[in-house]
Amino acid sequence: MKLSLASLASWALVGLSSFASAERMLYSDSLNPCQATNNFSATQFDVVLTPSNNSLSFSVVGVSTIQGNITIDLVVSAYGLQIYATTLDPCSLGFTGLCPMNEGQLNLPQSNVPIPASSLANVPGIAYTVPDLDAKVKVYFNSTTTGQSAACVEASLSNGKTVDQKAVAWALAVISGLALVASAITSGLGHSNTAAHVAANALALFGYFQAQAFIGMTAVSLPPVVASWTQNFQWSMGIIRVGFLQDIATWYQRSTGGKPSSVLSSLGTTSVEVQKRSMETVYKLMKRAAYQVHDSILRARSNAAGSNGQDTANTVIVRGIQRVGFRSGIEVTNIFLTGYIFFMIFVVAVVIGVLLFKLFCELLVKMGRMKGEKFQDFRNGWTTVLKGIMFRMVLIGFPQMVVLCFWEFTQNDSTAEMVLAVLTIFAMLSILAWASSKVIRLARRSISMHKNPAYILYSDPVSLNKWGFLYVQFKATAYYFIVPFLIYILAKGLFIALGQGAGTVQAIGLVVIEAVYLITICVLRPYMDKKTNGFNIAITVINFISAVFLLIFTGIFDQPGIVTGVMGVIFFVYNAVFSTVLLLIVLIASIIAVVAKNPDTRYQPMRDDRGSFIKSQSGLNHELDALGATARGESKHGWTGGKGARIEEDEDDSWSGGSSSNERQQQPFHGQQTAYGGPGGTARSPPAQSAMPAGQQQMQGPGYPPSRSEQTASPYEENRGYRGNGNAANPSPWQRGAGYE
């Protein structure tokens, strides 16, 4: 029996020679059924062909219920194209044990069989080097009596080369993180324009990585190179394997009433099929029948077990999110908790980093190693900056948690994990909804008062630091675009999370969503300038093309197998090139932002005039800033960095964590030092009302800049809303904007 199966395996592997470093090899580690009614199954199947020593190593554990004489049809295909087929007669070839076949258990230990060098010489070198080789061997056992197939088994071939590389994943993660850090440092140094551009591009790049991860999480049967390529981006969804964290996740699930899966720990007795592309109609029917019977994405088909010669054979098929977890070495029931833990680690690490940076800056200032004005805005308002960073973390983790939390609703790994999923996703939805509505209210208020949404959005440093993550990447008139963006992410995440049983539905949904979003941003062009619009439109175009490719991978168009195989390679090539270009753009921009003395010169001023409204808490050091401050009624030393007057509505601060309304009402407007302050900002009493011009008497008092009548207001004042109305009982829009109602 050993010789017969060894000979059969050698025929299968050497058959690859017709279609056409480390040690070159071809191997298969799983034998999967390829027809609905099968009389042969394998728990373990490992075959390795090593051309350097002309040997074939194999081991098989399985069970057969086939009896009588058979013929064997052997078919080798590569990239969906049949490149070799032959029919073998075990009796004429002397395959003992297969002529005839007998019912019973097969248990063949590790064995080695020599292969003629002449047979291996015809195998082309590319078969051993191309990554993620999409080749497989199908073996049909046909009864000579009926002429029908009694069994069909399929073995995928691999050469050990893959584009799924940990080094690639780490490089992508590090560059993304450095870009975000560079934007934070640049902002702290006062280069707000550069910081906004670097941050916008870094977040867009991270979003592209998550879109690639979404493709890998679909339930579509992906070509091997596509599945491996998208696996490089699963770190952006928190799918990262760390041994002790897996132990913690398993313990937590078991202790909260869940039942951990044991697929990875039972690989010695379980054959796991990672769902791949299949062009055989009968195989599709088999998978459809399995769905109806088990109604589960993860399906186990068990043969009878016992000591009567039958084998305990399980075949587990993983697809979609479970496929991603299995390839990462994570048990199916640990996927949600793994992603959740890494999101929390990310948030905590950022908070600790901000605190350490604050302490480090203060220490350097006290030691005289750093000038006092360095990072002064951050040091004076670090708590507000930290709150804004926390909101940013929620936005970055939103796609990840939408998929994992809603997917957990379908898995119910344990009661506690369900509670975590519910609390997390609805808390994030509430936070982002509140923040978005806050931005829209502020912008509309600014339009009503100043005919320009940028004034309030950018003139209050507290609002800018806290809520700016939602709108700084957009032009001021597109302040609302964060809402369509969040809806876009939510819709994609819901299709990925809840559509794991229907890959075609997922693909169609993603195509529609990407098409609508692409049309929207092409028409509105909501980002801050042409470069940023081009950057994001290019990413959206690639995401739309990837969704179209995904739809093709479903086989909905019934295209030939070679078309699907070639398009899988094309998918990898264009995404690899595009990712490299994006990484270079973001990396170069980040380096220049940090090392250049004045990186803002690389970017054109914003057309929405946001720069003239942005206040510096550490002082105005440039002539244009000073001119803007004069127009606003502030002095050079007017902004103290403390809890000054705020432009936000008093009633909205319960969620923002700002000072109370009473506290702000008791504090004077910092512009009073401009109106009445002497040298060095020393305040002095305002002039008597009788001594003031008639046009200014209505606005006397601490905290009010000198007023002007509407008839003499300058065009600049009218455009900016700096005009008095001559009536103290009916304050002007400018007065209301400053909080003096």
Side-chain angles (χ1 to χ4, degrees):
M1 174 68 78
K2 294 181 181 180
L3 179 58
S4 63
L5 283 184
S7 302
L8 180 60
S10 66
W11 275 90
L13 290 174
V14 175
L16 186 63
S17 63
S18 299
F19 103 90
S21 130
E23 185 177 21
R24 302 191 306 170
M25 65 176 63
L26 293 174
Y27 68 88
S28 177
D29 55 9
S30 65
L31 191 65
N32 302 309
C34 49
Q35 70 180 29
T37 302
N38 220 37
N39 294 317
F40 179 84
S41 61
T43 301
Q44 180 182 347
F45 179 82
D46 296 295
V47 177
V48 180
L49 176 66
T50 308
S52 60
N53 57 12
N54 299 335
S55 69
L56 176 73
S57 174
F58 68 93
S59 63
V60 180
V61 176
V63 62
S64 170
T65 58
I66 302 174
Q67 291 182 331
N69 293 329
I70 62 169
T71 58
I72 298 174
D73 290 338
L74 188 146
V75 179
V76 180
S77 61
Y79 297 96
L81 183 65
Q82 180 177 311
I83 46 84
Y84 180 79
T86 186
T87 299
L88 308 176
D89 185 355
C91 295
S92 61
L93 294 174
F95 288 175
T96 58
L98 296 181
C99 179
M101 284 195 71
N102 297 311
E103 181 177 356
Q105 184 174 357
L106 300 177
N107 190 350
L108 305 179
Q110 184 87 19
S111 303
N112 291 281
V113 176
I115 302 297
S118 59
S119 299
L120 296 174
N122 296 325
V123 180
I126 191 175
Y128 301 106
T129 57
V130 62
D132 296 293
L133 180 67
D134 188 2
K136 58 190 175 185
V137 177
K138 285 188 177 181
V139 181
Y140 295 91
F141 297 87
N142 302 316
S143 172
T144 56
T145 303
T146 63
Q148 296 181 349
S149 175
C152 175
V153 291
E154 179 184 73
S156 298
L157 301 178
S158 175
N159 54 21
K161 307 297 188 302
T162 179
V163 298
D164 179 11
Q165 300 291 334
K166 288 186 177 181
V168 173
W170 275 104
L172 298 175
V174 169
I175 293 176
S176 301
L178 290 178
L180 293 174
V181 172
S183 66
I185 294 176
T186 307
S187 178
L189 293 174
H191 306 299
S192 58
N193 196 8
T194 300
H197 281 84
V198 174
N201 289 345
L203 292 176
L205 178 67
F206 194 82
Y208 167 72
F209 291 165
Q210 290 179 321
Q212 291 288 287
F214 278 11
I215 296 293
M217 285 184 161
T218 60
V220 177
S221 300
L222 301 175
V225 68
V226 176
S228 295
W229 168 252
T230 56
Q231 194 71 22
N232 288 317
F233 301 93
Q234 297 303 332
W235 58 268
S236 65
M237 303 296 290
I239 309 300
I240 306 170
R241 188 187 188 282
V242 177
F244 75 92
L245 288 182
Q246 294 306 300
D247 296 336
I248 293 175
T250 301
W251 165 80
Y252 182 82
Q253 184 187 19
R254 184 179 290 113
S255 63
T256 55
K259 183 179 180 181
S261 63
S262 58
V263 175
L264 294 173
S265 60
S266 60
L267 289 179
T269 58
T270 302
S271 179
V272 178
E273 178 186 354
V274 179
Q275 184 197 42
K276 299 180 181 178
R277 177 180 52 81
S278 174
M279 306 309 299
E280 296 293 334
T281 304
V282 66
Y283 191 36
K284 294 180 181 177
L285 294 176
M286 182 193 72
K287 292 190 293 185
R288 185 180 304 172
Y291 274 127
Q292 295 173 351
V293 173
H294 294 278
D295 193 26
S296 174
I297 295 175
L298 179 63
R299 309 189 303 279
R301 181 178 50 80
S302 299
N303 297 311
S307 58
N308 55 358
Q310 294 190 356
D311 132 76
T312 304
N314 294 324
T315 299
V316 176
I317 304 175
V318 292
R319 60 170 50 82
I321 296 176
Q322 295 176 340
R323 174 179 59 208
V324 167
F326 177 78
R327 293 187 58 142
S328 299
I330 300 174
E331 289 286 358
V332 171
T333 52
N334 286 348
I335 293 176
F336 164 74
L337 205 56
T338 298
Y340 184 87
I341 290 174
F342 271 100
F343 175 69
M344 298 307 299
I345 290 176
F346 175 58
V347 173
V348 172
V350 170
V351 172
I352 293 176
V354 172
L355 296 177
L356 291 178
F357 185 71
K358 159 70 174 174
L359 295 176
F360 182 70
C361 289
E362 297 297 343
L363 181 62
L364 289 181
V365 171
K366 289 185 178 180
M367 295 174 61
R369 300 291 183 89
M370 188 173 74
K371 295 181 180 180
E373 64 270 16
K374 206 80 167 181
F375 296 108
Q376 187 171 355
D377 288 353
F378 167 74
R379 289 163 44 222
N380 290 340
W382 70 273
T383 54
T384 301
V385 173
L386 181 59
K387 293 175 185 177
I389 291 175
M390 293 290 290
F391 283 119
R392 286 174 174 84
M393 296 303 100
V394 173
L395 182 62
I396 291 175
F398 183 62
Q400 167 190 348
M401 299 313 296
V402 166
V403 172
L404 294 180
C405 290
F406 281 105
W407 179 69
E408 175 62 21
F409 295 165
T410 68
Q411 301 298 298
N412 192 14
D413 293 323
S414 75
T415 303
E417 291 186 39
M418 284 287 287
V419 172
L420 281 178
V422 171
L423 294 180
T424 301
I425 190 57
F426 287 107
M428 294 179 77
L429 287 171
S430 300
I431 290 172
L432 292 175
W434 167 262
S436 300
S437 66
K438 177 76 172 182
V439 170
I440 293 175
R441 292 198 304 272
L442 288 176
R444 289 179 176 176
R445 186 164 180 254
S446 181
I447 293 173
S448 175
M449 295 169 56
H450 310 292
K451 310 303 181 184
N452 189 340
Y455 179 81
I456 291 181
L457 292 178
Y458 291 95
S459 61
D460 181 12
V462 177
S463 298
L464 183 60
N465 286 328
K466 188 178 296 183
W467 312 112
F469 73 100
L470 291 176
Y471 59 81
V472 291
Q473 66 268 36
F474 306 120
K475 56 187 178 184
T477 54
Y479 60 87
Y480 59 85
F481 198 77
I482 187 62
V483 175
F485 175 77
L486 292 176
I487 294 175
Y488 162 72
I489 295 298
L490 179 62
K492 287 179 62 176
L494 288 175
F495 268 97
I496 299 298
L498 304 180
Q500 288 293 301
T504 302
V505 174
Q506 287 180 318
I508 295 174
L510 290 181
V511 169
V512 173
I513 293 171
E514 295 291 357
V516 172
Y517 189 70
L518 176 60
I519 294 173
T520 302
I521 66 170
C522 286
V523 173
L524 297 179
R525 297 182 179 271
Y527 291 92
M528 64 179 75
D529 57 16
K530 287 185 177 180
K531 290 183 178 180
T532 310
N533 272 308
F535 192 86
N536 285 273
I537 289 175
I539 290 176
T540 308
V541 168
I542 294 298
N543 288 341
F544 172 71
I545 295 175
S546 297
V548 173
F549 272 62
L550 183 67
L551 183 61
I552 294 174
F553 295 152
T554 63
I556 193 173
F557 301 109
D558 199 24
Q559 69 276 7
I562 186 63
V563 174
T564 306
V566 171
M567 294 195 71
V569 176
I570 295 175
F571 179 95
F572 159 68
V573 171
Y574 80 75
N575 274 290
V577 172
F578 186 71
S579 299
T580 303
V581 173
L582 291 185
L583 287 171
L584 290 176
I585 292 174
V586 172
L587 184 61
I588 293 173
S590 302
I591 294 174
I592 294 176
V594 174
V595 302
K597 290 185 178 180
N598 188 13
D600 282 343
T601 58
R602 295 184 64 247
Y603 304 97
Q604 294 292 331
M606 299 300 163
R607 291 186 177 182
D608 56 22
D609 205 25
R610 67 180 67 180
S612 63
F613 300 128
I614 297 178
K615 304 176 186 178
S616 172
Q617 297 181 17
S618 59
L620 303 173
N621 300 318
H622 303 287
E623 294 181 3
L624 291 178
D625 291 340
L627 180 61
T630 302
R632 290 193 296 261
E634 303 172 2
S635 73
K636 181 176 180 180
H637 304 285
W639 183 266
T640 63
K643 299 179 179 179
R646 296 273 302 283
I647 300 179
E648 296 183 59
E649 301 103 324
D650 293 346
E651 66 271 13
D652 288 337
D653 284 338
S654 59
W655 280 58
S656 66
S659 55
S660 65
S661 57
N662 292 334
E663 184 181 13
R664 288 198 301 276
Q665 290 174 359
Q666 294 172 1
Q667 293 173 344
F669 178 59
H670 298 293
Q672 73 181 38
Q673 294 180 358
T674 299
Y676 310 114
T682 304
R684 61 176 184 267
S685 302
Q689 181 174 355
S690 61
M692 298 177 65
Q696 297 182 8
Q697 292 179 4
Q698 289 85 359
M699 297 181 62
Q700 67 170 350
Y704 288 97
S707 65
R708 301 172 178 86
S709 66
E710 290 186 331
Q711 289 76 14
T712 60
S714 68
Y716 177 85
E717 295 168 344
E718 293 178 355
N719 291 336
R720 294 291 183 262
Y722 299 103
R723 60 173 182 251
N725 59 7
N727 186 354
N730 185 20
S732 68
W734 184 88
Q735 292 173 297
R736 292 196 299 271
Y740 302 102
E741 302 187 42

